[in-house]
Amino acid sequence: MPADTDALLARCNFRLSRRARYLRITVSRNGEITVTRPAHVSRGEAIAFARSRHAWIARQLTKIHPPEPATPPAQLQLRLTAETLPVSYVDTPQHMARLREASGQLELHFDHKHPEQGRELLRQWLKRRARSTLEPHLRTLSTQTSLPCNRLSVRLQRTRWGSCSARRDISLNAKLLFLPEALVRHVLIHELAHTVHLNHSPAFWRLVEQYDPRWRSHRRALHDAAPLIPAWLDQR
């Protein structure tokens, strides 16, 4: 299943229908994607509509052609910290499972009959590394922007990069480690701005723009960031 937006758009068939009243996207059983537009809608608008619906299109294609099982990673490419960590695997009795980090590489000891155990070890390690990495970034930005936050939590979520509660508690996705620093900074500013505006009002976006003038391009890049995230993270 192509996750990249441009790859999905290249597969779309754009059709003009004078009987259509609104834009519509259909995905056939053989994976054909059709974008139907009425006469009063330009092709450019139809393309923009398809781009905005790329996640929905990808989900429909996944239902038709489920992805192959994710293979264990040979390495972790953490773009935020500019690290590439080799990963090795040692077959070990299930009750002796552990993860060892040394000399810039990870060594997983687990029962190979239970690969989910190895993936869980990696996920737990990733959350610990994400917290130790993201918290200093968040606190520094909080000081620089005078946007205070309270408690930080780090989770592994399928879709949300972050969230902010009414109590100014911020939650961040450990998957941010796989993104470039500029996109991570945008997410942190986005959540810090929510400590003032717990909505997406014009005032909220003005505050975001004050500290991230390129927020629109960063936001678009986040929508297309799925290929940067390893598939095994969401496999149970």
Side-chain angles (χ1 to χ4, degrees):
M1 178 198 67
D4 180 74
T5 303
D6 291 334
L8 286 179
L9 288 176
R11 292 183 55 177
C12 292
N13 300 309
F14 291 89
R15 186 173 71 89
L16 173 64
S17 171
R18 301 195 178 279
R19 299 180 62 183
R21 295 184 179 181
Y22 52 85
L23 282 163
R24 184 175 73 254
I25 300 177
T26 57
V27 179
S28 69
R29 291 183 178 180
N30 62 3
E32 182 176 318
I33 308 165
T34 303
V35 182
T36 303
R37 64 181 177 94
H40 65 274
V41 174
S42 69
R43 180 178 173 84
E45 290 173 311
I47 292 173
F49 176 70
R51 182 180 292 276
S52 71
R53 299 283 287 166
H54 80 279
W56 178 87
I57 296 171
R59 286 196 298 271
Q60 306 315 304
L61 292 174
T62 300
K63 293 176 183 177
I64 299 168
H65 303 294
E68 294 296 320
T71 57
Q75 63 182 27
L76 298 183
Q77 187 177 0
L78 308 182
R79 295 172 183 82
L80 176 59
T81 57
E83 293 178 278
T84 300
L85 304 178
V87 183
S88 60
Y89 302 88
V90 179
D91 197 359
T92 304
Q94 191 171 4
H95 68 278
M96 297 179 63
R98 68 188 188 278
L99 183 150
R100 179 173 175 267
E101 180 180 2
S103 304
Q105 62 182 0
L106 303 179
E107 186 176 86
L108 269 74
H109 298 249
F110 66 98
D111 186 345
H112 288 190
K113 295 178 182 177
H114 301 277
E116 70 282 356
Q117 189 178 47
R119 291 192 293 268
E120 186 58 26
L121 285 170
L122 279 175
R123 280 192 284 266
Q124 293 304 319
W125 177 89
L126 191 70
K127 286 196 289 186
R128 293 193 298 271
R129 172 58 70 89
R131 184 177 185 88
S132 66
T133 302
L134 292 171
E135 185 152 25
H137 282 265
L138 181 66
R139 300 302 177 189
T140 297
L141 275 175
S142 176
T143 300
Q144 292 174 347
T145 60
S146 298
L147 298 172
C149 67
N150 293 324
R151 191 173 65 91
L152 169 67
S153 61
V154 175
R155 300 185 176 94
L156 268 172
Q157 298 171 285
R158 287 182 180 270
T159 56
R160 302 184 71 176
W161 295 113
S163 61
C164 179
S165 74
R167 294 182 178 182
R168 294 180 174 175
D169 294 333
I170 287 178
S171 174
L172 296 174
N173 195 330
K175 293 177 182 178
L176 289 170
L177 287 178
F178 295 100
L179 301 186
E181 191 275 338
L183 298 189
V184 175
R185 184 177 184 276
H186 166 74
V187 172
L188 300 189
I189 288 175
H190 184 111
E191 300 310 330
L192 285 169
H194 276 315
T195 65
V196 177
H197 303 286
L198 204 60
N199 52 46
H200 290 103
S201 64
F204 166 82
W205 290 115
R206 285 194 297 269
L207 183 58
V208 170
E209 188 167 25
Q210 182 178 342
Y211 300 108
D212 184 13
R214 296 185 58 202
W215 68 267
R216 291 178 180 82
S217 62
H218 291 152
R219 187 171 170 83
R220 285 194 297 270
L222 277 177
H223 283 303
D224 298 337
L228 302 181
I229 309 302
W232 60 265
L233 272 171
D234 291 325
Q235 186 179 14
R236 298 293 176 179

